[in-house]
Amino acid sequence: MEGIMRKVMVSCLLVLLLSSLSWSTSQPEVKDLRVLGAVDQAVLDYALPALAAKGVTAKWLKLDLSDGSTMTMDAMVAAGTPPDVYTDYMGRVSKYVTEAYALDLKPYIKTDDFRPGVLDPLTRNGKLLALPMPGGAQGMVINLKLLEKIGEKDFNFDNWKISDFMRMATKAKAAGVWATGLFAANQSGDYLWYGWAASFGAELYKPGDYSKTAMNTPAGLAFFTFLRDMVRDGYAPKEAAVLTDDDYVLQWASGKILATAFFPAWVKPYFADVQKQGMGGGDFAYKFVEFPRAPGVTRVPTAGSYGGIVVAKATKAPKAAALAAETFSDARAQTLLMREGSTGRGFPNRKSVIPVFDDVHWKAIEQIVSENGLLDLGISTPKFSEVRSLAIPILQQLYTNKIEPAAALAAYCAVVDKVLSRP
């Protein structure tokens, strides 16, 4: 009997040992996952301890976004040391949402909590190559202090027209402020000037077709002509060709722009920036409205923006890296971004997170999106990052009167189509 019991115990120990060995080979010990990205501090404060509690530690690596490009990520990949996880604005992450680079996340995470359709743009040949973060959308933000200054405080912005904007632009110029803001020294913020494209009925792509641009139309020409006129005629900064997005947002926050494209999430941090730097402003009332419409335009889709997360196929810890990606985008993280984050982003993409817009500005954006839809900038496509930089030298020439709008439009469409036609 004793011998039998001893054999049973030995067998059990062998089973446990083999199970342990099997688990250790499929679940390697993880120390310091390398996570590169830009994430709200509130999410970091939640996600990093949550991962540590599950035995996954993560080393956070900061991005250099001085030129709005993927240069930090590009350098790491070129050096053969890609991060395990990369999270940032989807327009940059999308460069790496390819089967060659990205780990298929389907075997590692549950996807049933995501709202219908939100994973479709990130799924290629049945493989889920990235996860989306909550998104936001822009509107036309109106400086109510300047609106009153030019004698238009009672204006009703419902279904307003380009002619209404131009009337106000003339008054703003006479009052010594800019009617709108533009910049062309870096690629960040294409979603800002594309809002004006929609005002004229122009669009970058036809629905679902990323093989060529749809900008080469009379509406596209009207859009490029409008941009040129804004700078040439003094309605936007004369130095727009050498301004960056950082210049743009601080000009708005310091109260120098009447009406321009903006996100509600940006107001609080940039108001704080101009106050900290003693630039003045950061204290005026404002409201969000839809972009004005050119004749014949019945709705103006607004540009949206959202973050993304991709895991390197080359990671030595796929399960841990996938868990990190899931944690940074789970219901708790999305709730923090919406309600407790420093910038207050809305529009979650998980069913378990119910958006509650108690902020008047977010309510306005929600109405703009529901009535006008979102403008498709193709931000989840791998070529987005390359395409978005193509307009910069052309806009610089346009803003410095070195090229006419028709030539600018033709040049832009030609370079975009060339990139899109490549395999």
Side-chain angles (χ1 to χ4, degrees), residues 38-289:
V39 168
D40 193 284
Q41 188 62 46
V43 175
L44 283 179
D45 291 343
Y46 152 70
L48 296 184
L51 288 169
K54 296 179 180 180
V56 177
T57 56
K59 182 178 181 181
W60 189 256
L61 307 174
K62 291 186 178 180
L63 287 166
D64 182 345
L65 295 176
S66 58
D67 70 348
S69 75
T70 55
M71 64 178 180
T72 309
M73 180 66 171
D74 294 346
M76 294 178 70
V77 171
T81 57
D84 298 284
V85 181
Y86 172 40
T87 175
D88 190 15
Y89 165 53
M90 182 60 82
R92 287 184 283 267
V93 171
S94 60
K95 181 176 181 178
Y96 291 94
V97 183
T98 66
E99 291 187 64
Y101 179 85
L103 177 74
D104 178 13
L105 296 173
K106 269 192 175 179
Y108 300 99
I109 68 172
K110 295 180 179 180
T111 60
D112 55 345
D113 188 40
F114 283 97
R115 296 182 186 276
V118 301
L119 298 181
D120 292 350
L122 305 173
T123 302
R124 316 278 164 76
N125 297 318
K127 298 177 181 178
L128 179 60
L129 302 182
L131 296 180
M133 295 289 277
Q138 71 178 19
M140 175 67 73
V141 65
I142 307 296
N143 182 321
L144 297 180
K145 183 177 180 180
L146 294 182
L147 191 69
E148 181 174 4
K149 183 176 181 178
I150 65 173
E152 296 276 0
K153 73 171 185 175
D154 296 323
F155 180 77
N156 183 352
F157 286 92
D158 290 344
N159 300 320
W160 68 313
K161 311 298 183 186
I162 288 290
S163 57
D164 296 318
F165 171 79
M166 290 308 304
R167 184 186 69 253
M168 295 180 190
T170 300
K171 292 181 178 181
K173 179 181 175 181
V177 296
W178 293 304
T180 195
L182 294 170
F183 62 93
N186 68 350
Q187 67 184 19
S188 186
D190 44 1
Y191 38 78
L192 299 171
W193 56 275
Y194 270 128
W196 282 116
S199 282
F200 293 90
E203 54 189 353
L204 184 58
Y205 300 111
K206 290 296 182 184
D209 182 4
Y210 305 112
S211 63
K212 62 181 178 180
T213 180
M215 189 62 69
N216 196 14
T217 62
L221 178 58
F223 162 55
F224 272 81
T225 301
F226 173 82
L227 293 181
R228 188 275 311 273
D229 292 351
M230 286 296 100
V231 177
R232 184 195 64 185
D233 298 339
Y235 298 119
K238 287 286 189 183
E239 65 275 21
V242 296
L243 295 178
T244 68
D245 55 331
D246 288 334
D247 301 314
Y248 173 91
V249 294
L250 293 180
Q251 286 169 344
W252 179 82
S254 57
K256 298 176 181 177
I257 297 174
L258 173 65
T260 200
F262 225 67
F263 290 87
W266 289 2
V267 175
K268 181 180 177 181
Y270 290 116
F271 268 9
D273 279 351
V274 296
Q275 290 171 348
K276 183 178 180 180
Q277 297 178 44
M279 298 175 63
D283 58 356
F284 53 86
Y286 59 93
K287 68 182 294 185
F288 284 89
V289 302

Side-chain angles (χ1 to χ4, degrees), residues 28-34 55-59 84 317 320:
E29 183 180 4
V30 177
K31 291 186 183 297
D32 290 336
L33 272 183
R34 296 162 68 247
V56 177
T57 56
K59 182 178 181 181
D84 298 284

Side-chain angles (χ1 to χ4, degrees), residues 355-420:
V356 178
F357 296 110
D358 54 5
D359 179 275
V360 64
H361 304 300
W362 274 115
K363 286 180 179 178
I365 295 297
E366 182 183 29
Q367 182 175 348
I368 291 169
V369 173
S370 65
E371 293 179 355
N372 295 273
L374 287 171
L375 188 63
D376 184 5
L377 301 181
I379 68 174
S380 65
T381 61
K383 292 180 181 177
F384 174 81
S385 183
E386 186 176 1
V387 168
R388 72 187 306 226
S389 67
L390 298 176
I392 297 307
I394 297 170
L395 288 177
Q396 288 174 335
Q397 293 180 68
L398 183 68
Y399 293 160
T400 53
N401 297 311
K402 295 177 180 176
I403 189 172
E404 290 297 313
L409 173 63
Y412 177 70
C413 293
V415 293
V416 171
D417 284 347
K418 184 177 180 180
V419 168
L420 295 176

